[in-house]
Amino acid sequence: MLRSITSGLVLAFAGSRANVSRTILSCAGIVVGIGALITVVTAGHVGERYAVAYSEANWGVAATYAVSLPSVEDTGALKEDLLRAGGQAVSLDFRTESDIRMRQGDREIAEVGFTVAEPGLEDIRRMNLTQGRWFTEGDTESLAPVLVVTDTLADRLESSDGFEGLQIGSRTWQDVRVVGVVEATAMDGMTGEGGTAYLLNAPASQEIAFPEGTEGAAGMGGGLEYSVRVPSEGADPEAFKERLIGSAWRWAPDADPNAVHVYRMDDAEQIGEVLGYLSLGLLGIAAITLTTGLLGVLNVGLVTVRERRRELAVYRALGADRLSMFVVVVAEAVVVALVAGVIALALCYGGAGAAHLLLADLLPDGVVVTVPVSGVLVGLGSAAGVGLLAGVIPAWRALRTSVVAGLRD
């Protein structure tokens, strides 16, 4: 049996090389089908990476809760209880509505939004830094307020000397230190049209961030706002809220449980659902295209068997058994399909590279347009499968051909 299969494979490769024009015609249809399939897998992969990166930059990684509290007396105890309730990372994410102003030299910078944040926010949201760094715990000991600004705001400032002369204040002006610049997101557009300044929550910035104290904080949600990253499996905001308010006496003895709001911020579940439906639609289109290519290879295979009746009959007359003949026809179809798959894969790699060069400035950090490993496996696997399916019927027909009738042709 092994000898029959080996001899059949040798004859199949010989037949493919001897009939180059027929091989090219067989490849044409399958290249389009496999190329479409690889393109669909690549588009789905890039789309998923883009959607995840966009969601993580705006709302947080899976899973992130937004916790809004109307009145907090002890923020340290609150952070401890947020972690005890199931949080893996906690950070103040407070979009203040206090009248904080910014100026550089004698020029006031208008329409700047301020978000009071902490070092842990980097573990919750994707911070795409373009310059410098994010806050560290050591920055909390700084004698001057520490900022990270968005690139939208940085473009409005004089940054050649490290943002020299930059000041902020609500009652009096204070010199500030800028340690980094991050890419602006859709969420930043909600705080200020002229860009966002992330203000580190530290002793040096308390009077600016909370002029009335944390008990009277007035943010977009009506009070203090925290971002909390929790395990993505089994995320339940209501259960988290119940655990949190059970110890409210530690950080807000007079807190109203109905005024504490916990809801999920990230879009991981919705993104997965939308991408699932989109992938099904694109795979359906690719399957139709691939079926068309399969029919083309099948048609060429049937014509080839008819044209090679005499050749196959000679092989049979010289002692080739039925298994060898079956392998010859099927293997030739598989070889042709695999060649088409390799060509399609090469074209898709080239197309992906060109697309990345065109879209590089529009893509989030870490998102690359390239053919994933799954695309390579699906493409070549589908090519082999199509070749196998397209070769079975011609091979079965070749076995039914009489040796005597074939030698008479």
Side-chain angles (χ1 to χ4, degrees):
M1 180 177 178
L2 180 60
R3 182 178 180 183
S4 299
I5 294 175
T6 304
S7 60
L9 290 173
V10 172
L11 292 174
F13 278 99
S16 298
R17 289 191 305 168
N19 299 277
V20 177
S21 59
R22 185 178 70 242
T23 302
I24 293 175
L25 289 174
S26 299
C27 279
I30 207 69
V31 165
V32 176
I34 296 298
L37 188 61
I38 296 175
T39 301
V40 166
V41 175
T42 301
H45 175 75
V46 175
E48 180 180 4
R49 294 286 300 276
Y50 180 89
V52 170
Y54 184 85
S55 177
E56 289 181 351
N58 283 278
W59 301 290
V61 300
T64 296
Y65 291 160
V67 182
S68 177
L69 308 107
S71 177
V72 178
E73 297 181 10
D74 188 341
T75 55
L78 172 61
K79 289 187 66 173
E80 292 177 359
D81 287 341
L82 287 170
L83 292 170
R84 288 196 186 100
Q88 294 179 322
V90 175
S91 173
L92 190 65
D93 193 2
F94 177 66
R95 295 164 183 79
T96 178
E97 292 189 349
S98 300
D99 185 23
I100 304 177
R101 295 179 296 162
M102 174 180 286
R103 72 179 184 182
Q104 189 171 33
D106 296 329
R107 181 171 63 97
E108 185 163 345
I109 314 300
E111 299 182 336
V112 177
F114 284 85
T115 296
V116 185
E118 295 173 336
L121 190 61
E122 189 179 30
D123 297 326
I124 300 172
R125 284 172 50 189
R126 179 192 289 256
M127 296 296 179
N128 297 318
L129 289 159
T130 59
Q131 298 178 37
R133 58 175 175 81
W134 184 249
F135 303 126
T136 65
E137 292 295 339
D139 292 327
T140 59
E141 300 176 3
S142 173
L143 299 179
V146 182
L147 297 180
V148 170
V149 300
T150 60
D151 51 6
T152 305
L153 177 56
D155 291 339
R156 302 177 60 202
L157 302 173
E158 178 58 51
S159 59
S160 57
D161 295 323
F163 301 97
E164 184 179 357
L166 190 65
Q167 296 179 316
I168 63 172
S170 55
R171 297 171 180 171
T172 59
W173 293 106
Q174 285 188 256
D175 293 329
V176 297
R177 184 163 60 94
V178 178
V179 296
V181 179
V182 297
E183 292 181 0
T185 66
M187 289 293 288
D188 293 318
M190 297 174 60
T191 59
E193 297 181 0
T196 299
Y198 289 90
L199 175 62
L200 176 64
N201 182 33
S205 59
Q206 283 293 302
E207 185 177 351
I208 296 175
F210 305 107
E212 306 298 332
T214 56
E215 299 88 343
M220 295 181 65
L224 281 184
E225 300 157 5
Y226 281 82
S227 289
V228 183
R229 176 169 57 84
V230 300
S232 57
E233 296 182 0
D236 186 349
E238 287 301 319
F240 182 91
K241 176 181 175 180
E242 290 181 7
R243 292 192 295 268
L244 179 63
I245 62 179
S247 56
W249 59 270
R250 298 184 66 237
W251 39 269
D254 299 326
D256 179 4
N258 295 323
V260 177
H261 301 287
V262 179
Y263 55 94
R264 186 162 176 174
M265 284 284 289
D266 67 283
D267 290 335
E269 294 180 343
Q270 293 86 342
I271 288 173
E273 185 176 353
V274 171
L275 289 176
Y277 287 123
L278 182 62
S279 297
L280 287 176
L282 293 176
L283 285 174
I285 296 173
I288 294 173
T289 308
L290 194 58
T291 301
T292 304
L294 185 151
L295 294 176
V297 175
L298 176 61
N299 184 50
V300 173
L302 291 172
V303 173
T304 298
V305 167
R306 176 172 290 187
E307 291 179 351
R308 297 177 64 191
R309 288 178 63 186
R310 184 178 179 82
E311 178 187 343
L312 296 174
V314 170
Y315 287 147
R316 290 287 306 281
L318 292 175
D321 55 19
R322 286 179 175 271
L323 180 59
S324 296
M325 292 298 95
F326 184 85
V327 172
V328 166
V329 179
V330 173
E332 187 169 336
V334 172
V335 168
V336 169
L338 283 175
V339 170
V342 172
I343 294 173
L345 185 60
L347 292 175
C348 288
Y349 265 112
H356 183 72
L357 290 176
L358 294 174
L359 302 174
D361 294 337
L362 303 176
L363 295 174
D365 186 39
V367 178
V368 180
V369 181
T370 186
V371 179
V373 176
S374 57
V376 177
L377 297 177
V378 168
L380 296 182
S382 299
V386 165
L388 184 63
L389 292 174
V392 169
I393 294 177
W396 176 73
R397 188 167 183 176
L399 293 181
R400 294 183 58 196
T401 303
S402 170
V403 177
V404 176
L407 291 174
R408 287 176 179 175
D409 289 344

